[in-house]
Amino acid sequence: MPDGEHTELPRILVTGGTGYVGGRLISRLEADATRLRALARKPEQLRDKVGPSTEVVFGDVADRASLDRALAGIETAYYLIHMMSNAQDFAKEDRAAAEAFGAAARGAGVRRIIYLGGLGDDDDPGLSPHLRSRHEVGQVLRDSGVETIEFRASIVIGAGSLSFDLVKSLTDRLPVMLCPLWLSTACQPIAIDDLLAYLLAAKDLPPGDSRIIEIGGADVSAYRDLIREYARQKGLRRVLIKVPVLTPYLSGLWLTLVTPTRSEVGRHLIEGLKNPTVVRSRVALDTFPKIRPIGVAEAIRRAIQGAASTLSATDATTGPS
Ligand SMILES: NC(=O)c1ccc[n+]([C@@H]2O[C@H](COP(=O)([O-])OP(=O)(O)OC[C@H]3O[C@@H](n4cnc5c(N)ncnc54)[C@H](OP(=O)(O)O)[C@@H]3O)[C@@H](O)[C@H]2O)c1
């Protein structure tokens, strides 16, 4: 068959394309002219948001047959899903989902799964259920026998990231904040651009063993430093008052600042803020020498800029009333 007539099928599958990380990854892969398949529970919601070359298929990680279809012919599969929004017992459902995905990937002959989970110390008995579950998903995917690259990240700084939106909403609206002590917990946020660089580079690594790669930005900070830096860049005067615990009142207040559909996920994320999420190994820097992540101040600057351009794009689409 002459080259021009050869229609190549996508070899990369992205899951979680309606979500924050997956949606941005699809745009980057498309910008590199990569042909993709994207799996979505509501394909009609994703179709308008992706380029014409991306094939959108129905798939639900709770529906094994849909996974078998979506993974057919795939070499690299990105697993960017969590079930915290809609599950009764998210840890159990995330485990079952990862088992089904791993088994389907193995059956389809997938060469590599690339998964993004969370940082945190497995040996910490106080590790939050959310972070423990993220680690378990990585283990389950590895146990499938398909080579799995598990990235572990702290909060992602970018316009539209739920964890960054929590910082932003709080700081924008509350001149005086009651801050529980754990806002001094150490974290190592990563800018969305750096996270995407790692996710993209992982598909081109030579074949090897499954591994865990901890990733983070250039700075280790405390959550309250993120609030302070965001306030500084926005020219806001904010007073932070330390309180010993996160009271139900305070927790409720935080959650009223995010949209109701995201508050369930927000609750689990807040529980995890007491756990340090810091990179403890050099593996990322050694494996990806071309990726040198930026620090918190620059990441926040880009996120504020990104939020402003999204707003003005929405204004332009909406037009004057
Ligand atoms: N954002 C961060 O700050 C951050 C930080 C560290 C690690 N991570 C990790 O990055 C990954 C993606 O996070 P995110 O922030 O992009 O999450 P997100 O915006 O909440 O997106 C979650 C995605 O999961 C999909 N999903 C849920 N249940 C599904 C099911 N049964 N079948 C198929 N798809 C399903 C959702 O699809 P629907 O639209 O159909 O619900 C959505 O596309 C997660 O593993 C998370 O732990 C995120």
Side-chain angles (χ1 to χ4, degrees), residues 167-251:
V167 170
K168 179 175 168 312
S169 309
L170 272 172
T171 319
D172 279 339
R173 297 182 207 185
L174 302 177
V176 178
M177 268 179 257
L178 296 180
C179 294
L181 279 182
W182 45 250
L183 273 192
S184 52
T185 308
C187 62
Q188 196 166 350
I190 185 164
I192 181 69
D193 287 344
D194 291 324
L195 168 64
L196 293 173
Y198 281 122
L199 290 173
L200 289 170
K203 72 177 168 25
D204 300 324
L205 286 174
D209 292 334
S210 289
R211 56 199 122 157
I212 295 170
I213 305 182
E214 298 187 336
I215 53 174
D219 300 322
V220 174
S221 3
Y223 290 106
R224 64 159 184 267
D225 297 334
L226 302 185
I227 293 174
R228 288 203 178 111
E229 179 59 23
Y230 176 82
R232 191 189 67 75
Q233 293 196 24
K234 293 279 291 244
L236 302 167
R237 265 179 66 83
R238 293 296 179 250
V239 178
L240 274 60
I241 301 171
K242 278 188 202 165
V243 294
V245 285
L246 179 67
T247 61
Y249 165 75
L250 188 55
S251 173

Side-chain angles (χ1 to χ4, degrees), residues 22-67:
R24 275 144 191 88
L25 180 68
I26 289 177
S27 305
R28 288 296 164 90
L29 285 161
E30 285 176 343
D32 290 347
T34 310
R35 292 212 52 219
L36 298 176
R37 187 177 298 157
L39 169 152
R41 288 192 289 184
K42 293 184 184 137
E44 65 287 357
Q45 284 185 359
L46 189 57
R47 239 166 232 133
D48 290 346
K49 296 182 185 136
V50 300
S53 66
T54 293
E55 178 192 0
V56 180
V57 298
F58 166 78
D60 185 323
V61 282
D63 171 355
R64 171 64 197 267
S66 73
L67 295 179

Side-chain angles (χ1 to χ4, degrees), residues 15-23 39-42 45 59-63 67 79-86 94 97 115-119 130 134 137 151-157 160-164 190 195 262 265 269:
T15 64
T18 52
Y20 174 65
V21 177
L39 169 152
R41 288 192 289 184
K42 293 184 184 137
Q45 284 185 359
D60 185 323
V61 282
D63 171 355
L67 295 179
Y79 193 78
L80 301 168
I81 288 176
H82 66 79
M83 319 272 280
M84 284 188 291
S85 329
N86 39 25
D94 267 316
Y115 161 62
L116 175 65
L119 279 167
H130 157 58
R134 295 288 79 205
V137 164
F151 286 107
R152 291 186 174 177
S154 179
I155 78 171
V156 178
I157 300 190
S161 167
L162 176 57
S163 35
F164 178 68
I190 185 164
L195 168 64
R262 303 177 96 194
V265 185
L269 290 182

Side-chain angles (χ1 to χ4, degrees), residues 122-142:
D122 285 313
D123 296 330
D124 177 356
L127 194 65
S128 75
H130 157 58
L131 290 174
R132 202 164 285 291
S133 164
R134 295 288 79 205
H135 293 189
E136 185 183 28
V137 164
Q139 185 61 50
V140 169
L141 292 173
R142 281 190 290 284

